[in-house]
Amino acid sequence: MMTQSQSGEAPSPRPPLTGPEGGALGLQRSREPIWRTARPVRAVSVAAAGAGTMAAVVWTAAHGAVEPYVALTFCLVIAVGELARITLPGHREVAPIASAGAISYAFLVSLGDAPVEHSAAQVIAVVGLGLALGELPHVAVGRSPRLEDLARRVLAVMLIAAAFRPLVTQLSLTEPSVRVTLIMASLVLLAWLVDAAMAGVLRAERLRTNLLVAVRDEVRAQFATGAAIGASGVLIALACTVTGLVGLLVFSAPLLVSQVAFRRHAEVRRTYLETVRALSRVTEVGGYVENGHSRRVSHLAHAIACELGFSEAQLLELEYAALMHDIGQLSLREPIAGGATVLASPREQRRIAELGSAIIRETGVLDSVAEIVRRQCEPLAGDGDEGVPPLGSRIIKVANAFDDLVGENGDDERRAAVLERLRMDTDSEYDPKVVDALATVLARA
Amino acid sequence: MRALPGGARVYVGIIVVSAVTIVLVGPYSGIDLKTLVLVAVLFVVAESISTIVVSNGKMGMSPSSAVSLAAVVLVGPVGAAVVGFASCLTIRKQILVKRAFNGAQFALAAYAAGHVYLLCGGAVGEPARADFPMILLPYVAAVVTHTAVNSALVGVLMWTLGAVRTRRRSPIHWRPLVAVELSSIGYQMLGLAIAAVWGGVGVVAPLLVLLPLFIARWTFAQQADEARAHEATLATLCQAVETKDYYTRGHCMRVAEGAAMIARELGMPAERVQKIRYAGMLHDIGKLGVPTKVLQKTGKLTDEEYAAIKLHPTRGYEIVREISFLDEALAGIRHHHERLDGRGYPMGLVGMEIPESARIISVADVFDCLTSTRSYRKAWSVEDAIAELRACVGTQFDGRMVEALVRAVEREGWKTPDVVEPPGGCYEAAEKAVGRTGPPAAEGSAPAPAEAVPGGRDR
């Protein structure tokens, strides 16, 4: 614990700069052999995308490319789009321009007057090469892509190309018409659904959370980008039939605007989270709580909530609440001994929760977070006639108690003992469901 | 209409009458009626949706102008004027005058754009394959005309309303303006896309075009909401930290305002002003690490206590350095107690070694300290505070920042805190009120003359 007399010392080392999701991402850096990975779906999808692309490149090289200049143009646009990829909230990597370019190349039926008849394999090869080209500079400066997201971009185009290219020759499509547009739109929709489902499976695997919840999260999160990418892809393909290759360059403009919007939005979201994370440390610096307490509670609460199937929005709320759960202590004149709220009297605890909730409510935008914080120390049955406190509050109560009792450097034995102690209180104080989830999380770590 | 000044009334009248004349006179020969009606309906729908989507009026671009420009290509100047005028029918809450003016403004802009398009050699009707890429030139000319006429019409209206004249002294910031104009031109290029695929797929075309645009708008709006939420959260947390000392309440917000005023006055880009504002808000957050009894001590500080106080800029920097977007403003937090003569803390930087943001915050900080009441003295008047700041130019402050603050305060005024005495019954108030009425304490161990300014210890 940091006391006030220590204020002259150098600041103590802090935990690494990652959120709960960052911690989960760290899982992939294990030294195990590839076939014993903790995330098999990810491995399979990456392998499928890679193998498919390689096969397509080989096939195209063997059979020769149709319309090489068109292919090259699209390849370059895709590469530029991939270079300008962005990361959306929740560590989602997207490359709207690359994806739209790839989709439009798959949908290309004619250019100016000349019908275009490239094969599905050529589409996949061009897209694969474009993506690889665009990733090169990123990799060179050490910003490797998230492989599963890259794989999803490839797989979505594979699906579209494999379904649409054969249709072009069978139905001899060369003109833009309502029928062609409908086919394209439904294919894009299908690919988007498959893609979102896959993203959901990957997310569930990564965060160890409920599959249905994860799919729903992904559908919601990818709706805007998916619609923008799909519409632009179809538009570019149709426009190119009239305008030739000029259309590809001119009509990427709306997507550029969308991309700027997405990027800014992601930045604001990230900044918001960073701010709350940073400011949650004021209680530590003030000597009110143990160093790193807020972050550990937030990580633990995140893991428990994933186990219990929280949706993304709920997770974010819970993270804010966990980070700020002790902020009420700022209103205390002097820090309470040891900073551990679990050891304070129930009256004191409740007062801290009320004060903290009042501070958070002041913001005017975090009302549900304030509610979680306000009821964080109520017993299982709740106080007064308000009924059972929200699940978020119950999770924070357990995570907070666990961290207060274990401390910064508790060993396995101590963790087990604390878990036992929490279990003994499950009939009145702690939610047994939450304590069970905590046990699962601890067993995995 | 009664609320409008005479000049504006005449102006709106002229605009509306000329637009109506254009629409009535025609000529309507050679315009496909079905296309005209469809485009007009589309335009009204796009206008209605975009006003719902756009919650903040800050960004002056509307995706619907793409439809208006598609009309220029598809149905020519007169047709485009009709389409523009149709925006009167938009579904939204709006007084009649504004509705009429908007419609007329769109009609005139589209009419002008249409004629420029024809002059540059564009052909009316669905563009054929042979028209590309030559059609780009007249189209871009039409886009530029459309934007220019629109801005001019609105600008003159603002002028007649007298809205522009009031504040025109601060320098114009070109960068954001150019960004908005460029992205709006990017939007409008899509008009050509609508026109190009209109022949093949008809009404489906605009759907494809407008969908990404509305998504972008929606995202921008969401982003604005979230930026507001961020701001509110930051401000609240800063204020929560201040509850430790009743007298400094509101200090961080006022320093933020002061720092932003200086930065704006120096002509910094909006983004940087915002960063410096946040840094001003957060500048004293490290005070949390200083024991309350030291902060509130009225007597002489011991060396040890003074050392604890000197640590707070570094502490504050430690807390917020993970907020990556602040970047250079972080230095402002870390060095806001440095002095030009090198006798400040924590690092004793000299002159221009001190980061610009720190020099700004330092001036704003001291200015607010002087003009607000402290436990040991009454607030100074703004004039006295300015005189004091000027006296310390060269030793403590950068003269540029001080003069910028003086200019900004002269123009915009300065809101001094109105709370003087802590109200009784407040949490901890009784405790704190004890011993708060004595004469101003001497400045403890403050070493330099400028630090002996009353309130110097707060800084």
Side-chain angles (χ1 to χ4, degrees), chain B residues 192-241:
Chain B
L192 189 56
I194 298 181
V197 283
W198 187 275
V201 293
V203 201
V204 184
L207 288 182
L208 290 175
V209 175
L210 293 178
L211 190 61
L213 292 189
F214 283 124
I215 288 171
R217 293 245 56 150
W218 176 74
T219 317
F220 271 129
Q222 270 206 325
Q223 172 222 332
D225 284 349
E226 250 174 79
R228 262 195 300 278
H230 178 236
E231 165 107 28
T233 310
L234 202 58
T236 312
L237 290 180
C238 286
Q239 283 159 355
V241 168

Side-chain angles (χ1 to χ4, degrees), chain A residues 7 14 112-113 181 241 243 251 258 265 269 271-272 274-275 281-282 295 331 333 351 359 362-363, chain B residues 129 132 190 193 201 212 215 222 226 230 233-234 236 288 311 318-319 321-322 324-325 427-428 431:
Chain A
S7 51
R14 285 172 301 106
D113 279 323
T181 316
T241 58
T243 62
F251 302 138
S258 313
H265 187 216
R269 278 284 281 277
T271 304
Y272 197 174
E274 273 175 0
T275 305
R281 292 189 60 238
V282 294
R295 274 169 209 234
S331 309
R333 185 155 173 79
R351 204 169 62 107
I359 292 173
E362 272 292 291
T363 61
Chain B
R129 287 172 180 176
F132 285 91
L190 294 168
V201 293
I215 288 171
Q222 270 206 325
E226 250 174 79
H230 178 236
T233 310
L234 202 58
T236 312
L288 256 192
L311 208 72
E318 289 292 326
I319 295 177
R321 68 168 174 202
E322 287 174 17
S324 54
F325 89 104
Y427 184 57
E428 292 178 2
E431 217 175 329

Side-chain angles (χ1 to χ4, degrees), chain B residues 264-312:
Chain B
R264 254 196 307 269
E265 191 64 34
L266 293 174
M268 292 183 178
E271 225 165 281
R272 193 146 177 239
V273 172
Q274 184 72 333
K275 280 177 189 172
I276 288 178
R277 217 166 81 74
Y278 283 139
M281 218 185 271
L282 292 163
H283 76 282
D284 265 352
I285 202 143
K287 282 236 172 106
L288 256 192
V290 182
T292 319
K293 60 178 191 301
V294 177
L295 281 183
Q296 297 182 349
K297 186 171 176 181
T298 40
K300 204 170 157 69
L301 294 171
T302 64
D303 284 352
E304 202 178 309
E305 286 166 337
Y306 191 59
I309 285 196
K310 273 166 104 171
L311 208 72
H312 85 264

Side-chain angles (χ1 to χ4, degrees), chain B residues 36-53:
Chain B
L36 181 64
V37 171
L38 272 179
V39 177
V41 168
L42 193 74
F43 183 68
V44 173
V45 170
E47 261 296 287
S48 309
I49 297 174
S50 68
T51 40
I52 293 168
V53 171

Side-chain angles (χ1 to χ4, degrees), chain B residues 78-362:
Chain B
V78 177
V82 173
V83 169
F85 208 74
S87 75
C88 299
L89 306 172
T90 309
I91 305 147
R92 60 179 154 191
K93 282 189 214 123
Q94 212 173 39
I95 53 167
L96 196 66
V97 185
K98 207 173 167 203
R99 217 174 247 270
F101 179 77
N102 268 354
Q105 169 206 342
F106 267 120
L108 287 185
Y111 187 69
H115 275 294
V116 169
Y117 175 75
L118 289 181
L119 271 179
C120 294
V124 173
E126 290 151 15
R129 287 172 180 176
D131 290 337
F132 285 91
M134 287 319 292
I135 198 174
L136 279 178
L137 177 75
Y139 185 76
V140 169
V143 167
V144 173
T145 315
H146 192 265
T147 312
V149 173
N150 242 335
S151 316
L153 288 176
V154 174
V156 174
L157 179 69
M158 288 294 142
W159 181 72
T160 56
L161 288 174
V164 184
R165 262 169 292 176
T166 48
R167 46 178 170 141
R168 201 38 329 158
R169 275 207 52 207
S170 59
I172 305 170
H173 302 305
W174 286 107
R175 230 170 53 113
L177 206 66
V178 168
V180 167
E181 285 308 319
L182 274 185
S183 59
S184 122
I185 288 178
Y187 272 152
Q188 289 164 2
M189 284 313 287
L190 294 168
L192 189 56
I194 298 181
V197 283
W198 187 275
V201 293
V203 201
V204 184
L207 288 182
L208 290 175
V209 175
L210 293 178
L211 190 61
L213 292 189
F214 283 124
I215 288 171
R217 293 245 56 150
W218 176 74
T219 317
F220 271 129
Q222 270 206 325
Q223 172 222 332
D225 284 349
E226 250 174 79
R228 262 195 300 278
H230 178 236
E231 165 107 28
T233 310
L234 202 58
T236 312
L237 290 180
C238 286
Q239 283 159 355
V241 168
E242 281 179 341
T243 54
K244 265 187 140 184
D245 185 351
Y246 189 88
Y247 286 94
T248 57
R249 201 161 277 188
H251 175 61
C252 66
M253 298 312 287
R254 291 191 301 271
V255 172
E257 262 343 293
M261 276 159 73
I262 297 175
R264 254 196 307 269
E265 191 64 34
L266 293 174
M268 292 183 178
E271 225 165 281
R272 193 146 177 239
V273 172
Q274 184 72 333
K275 280 177 189 172
I276 288 178
R277 217 166 81 74
Y278 283 139
M281 218 185 271
L282 292 163
H283 76 282
D284 265 352
I285 202 143
K287 282 236 172 106
L288 256 192
V290 182
T292 319
K293 60 178 191 301
V294 177
L295 281 183
Q296 297 182 349
K297 186 171 176 181
T298 40
K300 204 170 157 69
L301 294 171
T302 64
D303 284 352
E304 202 178 309
E305 286 166 337
Y306 191 59
I309 285 196
K310 273 166 104 171
L311 208 72
H312 85 264
T314 316
R315 270 286 149 74
Y317 169 75
E318 289 292 326
I319 295 177
V320 296
R321 68 168 174 202
E322 287 174 17
I323 309 180
S324 54
F325 89 104
L326 285 176
D327 47 47
E328 56 119 27
L330 286 177
I333 296 169
R334 192 178 203 174
H335 297 296
H336 73 273
H337 279 287
E338 304 282 4
R339 300 161 43 106
L340 288 196
D341 58 10
R343 294 162 74 185
Y345 57 88
M347 291 168 78
L349 299 180
V350 178
M352 295 301 125
E353 279 174 17
I354 306 169
E356 206 174 17
S357 52
R359 280 178 271 142
I360 292 176
I361 292 172
S362 150

